[in-house]
Amino acid sequence: SQTIHQWPATLVQPVGSPLSLECTVEGTSNPNLYWYRQAAGRGLQLLFYSVGIGQISSEVPQNLSASRPQDRQFILSSKKLLLSDSGFYLCARTLRLAGDNEQFFGPGTRLTVL
Amino acid sequence: GENVEQHPSTLSVQEGDSAVIKCTYSDSASNYFPWYKQELGKGPQLIIDIRSNVGEKKDQRIAVTLNKTAKHFSLHITETQPEDSAVYFCAASPISGGYNKLIFGAGTRLAVHP
């Protein structure tokens, strides 16, 4: 199984509050992991990717951070949420096999910042 | 950097008709082109993909074509059914950094009317 779990499924948070979204994956070890954000009715924006434990790369400057404390765990965080952080957050993985580009997505977390 | 444009943004067809969604990409070194289907409130699901060494790939009612010279690729759905209604995203994978980055189009909302 290459299942991807995301928690929570939905979240409503006030402006200025902290955030922690969790992604855990099953199956093949040492996957590449990704965090995307999708604004309402829009495409997918890559936020962070990780090729291993403790290795995080950021694609866009923003109010968020990511961490990978374990091989199959990827966490998205913020110290103080902004209204513009609202959106649908998706975790994805690839298998890190040679030439394997296939990305698989989790079920997503819908975040509403009020 | 890579840019992917997707057209149309919305598409409405009658059940049984065909639907075609087109994408263009800017980076001629891109070598992998997946298509995703996203139903409301869910994560995107990979439905078909094509690599740069082939021109066409088919899986039952869906097919993808790739024109490397023109940097175009298209999704074709035949005999559409109401359950095909969803948002479809194309993506391209530029050769960059070895982490299998995907650049997504903005999406096409397909509505299939009974």
Side-chain angles (χ1 to χ4, degrees):
Chain A
S1 171
Q2 304 293 341
T3 304
I4 302 172
H5 302 279
Q6 288 190 243
W7 185 88
T10 60
L11 189 61
V12 180
Q13 290 285 97
V15 169
S17 64
L19 173 73
S20 180
L21 302 182
E22 184 168 343
C23 170
T24 58
V25 302
E26 298 177 5
T28 308
S29 61
N30 202 24
N32 282 355
L33 298 176
Y34 309 80
W35 276 113
Y36 288 87
R37 175 169 59 203
Q38 186 176 28
R42 304 289 295 277
L44 290 84
Q45 180 187 33
L46 179 63
L47 302 176
F48 300 96
Y49 68 92
S50 171
V51 299
I53 295 174
Q55 300 179 64
I56 309 295
S57 295
S58 173
E59 281 292 297
V60 293
Q62 60 203 300
N63 184 42
L64 302 169
S65 62
S67 61
R68 187 168 175 178
Q70 301 180 43
D71 182 48
R72 296 192 175 97
Q73 185 184 31
F74 202 23
I75 297 173
L76 186 69
S77 303
S78 174
K79 293 182 179 178
K80 286 186 177 182
L81 283 169
L82 306 172
L83 286 174
S84 58
D85 292 324
S86 293
F88 193 43
Y89 288 83
L90 291 155
C91 179
R93 68 174 297 166
T94 56
L95 296 180
R96 292 204 68 197
L97 300 176
D100 187 344
N101 310 77
E102 295 176 346
Q103 279 193 27
F104 298 95
F105 286 84
T109 294
R110 184 162 302 282
L111 171 67
T112 303
V113 183
L114 301 175
Chain B
E2 173 71 287
N3 182 51
V4 177
E5 294 190 1
Q6 184 172 346
H7 300 280
S9 57
T10 60
L11 181 59
S12 182
V13 300
Q14 290 297 123
E15 182 177 2
D17 289 349
S18 295
V20 180
I21 303 170
K22 299 181 179 181
C23 289
T24 61
Y25 60 98
S26 59
D27 186 346
S28 58
S30 292
N31 60 357
Y32 174 68
F33 307 91
W35 286 89
Y36 289 85
K37 175 184 180 182
Q38 187 177 28
E39 297 177 338
L40 190 63
K42 297 184 178 180
Q45 180 184 17
L46 179 67
I47 56 172
I48 196 168
D49 55 18
I50 192 167
R51 300 187 186 274
S52 58
N53 58 345
V54 298
E56 184 173 359
K57 184 176 178 181
K58 189 174 182 179
D59 182 4
Q60 300 182 345
R61 295 187 298 108
I62 61 174
V64 57
T65 58
L66 172 64
N67 183 329
K68 289 171 56 181
T69 302
K71 293 188 282 188
H72 290 171
F73 59 112
S74 300
L75 177 72
H76 305 253
I77 306 174
T78 58
E79 300 173 27
T80 54
Q81 301 168 3
E83 51 265 39
D84 294 330
S85 297
V87 179
Y88 291 81
F89 292 97
C90 64
S93 181
I95 299 175
S96 172
Y99 67 91
N100 304 332
K101 181 176 180 177
L102 288 180
I103 306 299
F104 284 85
T108 296
R109 184 173 298 278
L110 174 64
V112 181
H113 301 285

